[in-house]
PDB file of all heavy atoms in Angstrom:
ATOM      1  N   PRO P 277      21.256  -1.377  27.703  1.00  0.00           N
ATOM      2  CA  PRO P 277      20.709  -2.609  28.283  1.00  0.00           C
ATOM      3  C   PRO P 277      21.423  -2.996  29.572  1.00  0.00           C
ATOM      4  O   PRO P 277      22.595  -2.667  29.767  1.00  0.00           O
ATOM      5  CB  PRO P 277      20.959  -3.659  27.202  1.00  0.00           C
ATOM      6  CG  PRO P 277      22.152  -3.151  26.467  1.00  0.00           C
ATOM      7  CD  PRO P 277      22.044  -1.640  26.494  1.00  0.00           C
ATOM      8  N   TYR P 278      20.701  -3.690  30.428  1.00  0.00           N
ATOM      9  CA  TYR P 278      21.292  -4.249  31.646  1.00  0.00           C
ATOM     10  C   TYR P 278      21.261  -5.757  31.507  1.00  0.00           C
ATOM     11  O   TYR P 278      20.201  -6.345  31.293  1.00  0.00           O
ATOM     12  CB  TYR P 278      20.530  -3.796  32.889  1.00  0.00           C
ATOM     13  CG  TYR P 278      21.021  -4.475  34.144  1.00  0.00           C
ATOM     14  CD1 TYR P 278      22.331  -4.303  34.566  1.00  0.00           C
ATOM     15  CD2 TYR P 278      20.195  -5.317  34.874  1.00  0.00           C
ATOM     16  CE1 TYR P 278      22.806  -4.946  35.703  1.00  0.00           C
ATOM     17  CE2 TYR P 278      20.667  -5.955  36.008  1.00  0.00           C
ATOM     18  CZ  TYR P 278      21.969  -5.767  36.408  1.00  0.00           C
ATOM     19  OH  TYR P 278      22.435  -6.415  37.529  1.00  0.00           O
ATOM     20  N   ARG P 279      22.423  -6.387  31.635  1.00  0.00           N
ATOM     21  CA  ARG P 279      22.543  -7.832  31.402  1.00  0.00           C
ATOM     22  C   ARG P 279      22.644  -8.646  32.685  1.00  0.00           C
ATOM     23  O   ARG P 279      22.925  -9.825  32.648  1.00  0.00           O
ATOM     24  CB  ARG P 279      23.746  -8.082  30.513  1.00  0.00           C
ATOM     25  CG  ARG P 279      23.577  -7.460  29.134  1.00  0.00           C
ATOM     26  CD  ARG P 279      24.803  -7.664  28.262  1.00  0.00           C
ATOM     27  NE  ARG P 279      24.657  -6.981  27.004  1.00  0.00           N
ATOM     28  CZ  ARG P 279      25.011  -5.722  26.780  1.00  0.00           C
ATOM     29  NH1 ARG P 279      25.545  -5.003  27.748  1.00  0.00           N
ATOM     30  NH2 ARG P 279      24.843  -5.175  25.604  1.00  0.00           N
ATOM     31  N   GLY P 280      22.451  -7.997  33.833  1.00  0.00           N
ATOM     32  CA  GLY P 280      22.385  -8.737  35.091  1.00  0.00           C
ATOM     33  C   GLY P 280      23.686  -8.959  35.821  1.00  0.00           C
ATOM     34  O   GLY P 280      23.732  -9.762  36.758  1.00  0.00           O
ATOM     35  N   ILE P 281      24.751  -8.258  35.454  1.00  0.00           N
ATOM     36  CA  ILE P 281      26.041  -8.556  36.089  1.00  0.00           C
ATOM     37  C   ILE P 281      26.133  -8.053  37.527  1.00  0.00           C
ATOM     38  O   ILE P 281      27.017  -8.475  38.257  1.00  0.00           O
ATOM     39  CB  ILE P 281      27.242  -8.049  35.268  1.00  0.00           C
ATOM     40  CG1 ILE P 281      27.393  -6.529  35.303  1.00  0.00           C
ATOM     41  CG2 ILE P 281      27.171  -8.536  33.838  1.00  0.00           C
ATOM     42  CD1 ILE P 281      28.748  -6.057  34.803  1.00  0.00           C
ATOM     43  N   CYS P 282      25.228  -7.202  37.943  1.00  0.00           N
ATOM     44  CA  CYS P 282      25.286  -6.663  39.314  1.00  0.00           C
ATOM     45  C   CYS P 282      24.334  -7.376  40.271  1.00  0.00           C
ATOM     46  O   CYS P 282      24.276  -7.020  41.449  1.00  0.00           O
ATOM     47  CB  CYS P 282      24.951  -5.164  39.305  1.00  0.00           C
ATOM     48  SG  CYS P 282      26.051  -4.193  38.281  1.00  0.00           S
ATOM     49  N   ASP P 283      23.609  -8.351  39.802  1.00  0.00           N
ATOM     50  CA  ASP P 283      22.598  -9.013  40.635  1.00  0.00           C
ATOM     51  C   ASP P 283      23.175  -9.610  41.914  1.00  0.00           C
ATOM     52  O   ASP P 283      22.529  -9.595  42.952  1.00  0.00           O
ATOM     53  CB  ASP P 283      21.866 -10.090  39.840  1.00  0.00           C
ATOM     54  CG  ASP P 283      20.963  -9.518  38.767  1.00  0.00           C
ATOM     55  OD1 ASP P 283      20.758  -8.277  38.734  1.00  0.00           O
ATOM     56  OD2 ASP P 283      20.462 -10.303  37.944  1.00  0.00           O
ATOM     57  N   ASP P 284      24.410 -10.124  41.841  1.00  0.00           N
ATOM     58  CA  ASP P 284      25.004 -10.725  43.034  1.00  0.00           C
ATOM     59  C   ASP P 284      25.680  -9.688  43.933  1.00  0.00           C
ATOM     60  O   ASP P 284      25.985  -9.974  45.087  1.00  0.00           O
ATOM     61  CB  ASP P 284      26.014 -11.811  42.649  1.00  0.00           C
ATOM     62  CG  ASP P 284      27.182 -11.280  41.840  1.00  0.00           C
ATOM     63  OD1 ASP P 284      27.004 -10.270  41.121  1.00  0.00           O
ATOM     64  OD2 ASP P 284      28.279 -11.866  41.901  1.00  0.00           O
ATOM     65  N   VAL P 285      25.902  -8.491  43.430  1.00  0.00           N
ATOM     66  CA  VAL P 285      26.558  -7.427  44.194  1.00  0.00           C
ATOM     67  C   VAL P 285      25.528  -6.508  44.848  1.00  0.00           C
ATOM     68  O   VAL P 285      25.671  -6.132  46.004  1.00  0.00           O
ATOM     69  CB  VAL P 285      27.471  -6.593  43.261  1.00  0.00           C
ATOM     70  CG1 VAL P 285      28.094  -5.433  44.004  1.00  0.00           C
ATOM     71  CG2 VAL P 285      28.532  -7.467  42.629  1.00  0.00           C
ATOM     72  N   ASN P 286      24.519  -6.146  44.081  1.00  0.00           N
ATOM     73  CA  ASN P 286      23.495  -5.222  44.543  1.00  0.00           C
ATOM     74  C   ASN P 286      22.125  -5.756  44.126  1.00  0.00           C
ATOM     75  O   ASN P 286      21.727  -5.599  42.971  1.00  0.00           O
ATOM     76  CB  ASN P 286      23.733  -3.831  43.947  1.00  0.00           C
ATOM     77  CG  ASN P 286      22.691  -2.818  44.358  1.00  0.00           C
ATOM     78  OD1 ASN P 286      21.682  -3.147  44.972  1.00  0.00           O
ATOM     79  ND2 ASN P 286      22.912  -1.574  43.996  1.00  0.00           N
ATOM     80  N   PRO P 287      21.400  -6.390  45.028  1.00  0.00           N
ATOM     81  CA  PRO P 287      20.127  -7.006  44.666  1.00  0.00           C
ATOM     82  C   PRO P 287      19.067  -5.998  44.209  1.00  0.00           C
ATOM     83  O   PRO P 287      18.064  -6.384  43.612  1.00  0.00           O
ATOM     84  CB  PRO P 287      19.684  -7.722  45.946  1.00  0.00           C
ATOM     85  CG  PRO P 287      20.451  -7.072  47.037  1.00  0.00           C
ATOM     86  CD  PRO P 287      21.717  -6.557  46.445  1.00  0.00           C
ATOM     87  N   PHE P 288      19.293  -4.713  44.451  1.00  0.00           N
ATOM     88  CA  PHE P 288      18.318  -3.694  44.052  1.00  0.00           C
ATOM     89  C   PHE P 288      18.637  -3.076  42.697  1.00  0.00           C
ATOM     90  O   PHE P 288      17.824  -2.322  42.160  1.00  0.00           O
ATOM     91  CB  PHE P 288      18.250  -2.594  45.116  1.00  0.00           C
ATOM     92  CG  PHE P 288      17.890  -3.127  46.466  1.00  0.00           C
ATOM     93  CD1 PHE P 288      18.842  -3.192  47.471  1.00  0.00           C
ATOM     94  CD2 PHE P 288      16.611  -3.595  46.724  1.00  0.00           C
ATOM     95  CE1 PHE P 288      18.518  -3.704  48.716  1.00  0.00           C
ATOM     96  CE2 PHE P 288      16.281  -4.113  47.965  1.00  0.00           C
ATOM     97  CZ  PHE P 288      17.232  -4.171  48.970  1.00  0.00           C
TER      98      PHE P 288
END
Side-chain angles (χ1 to χ4, degrees):
Y278 174 62
R279 296 178 184 89
I281 72 165
C282 301
D283 290 351
D284 62 331
V285 176
N286 179 352
F288 302 108

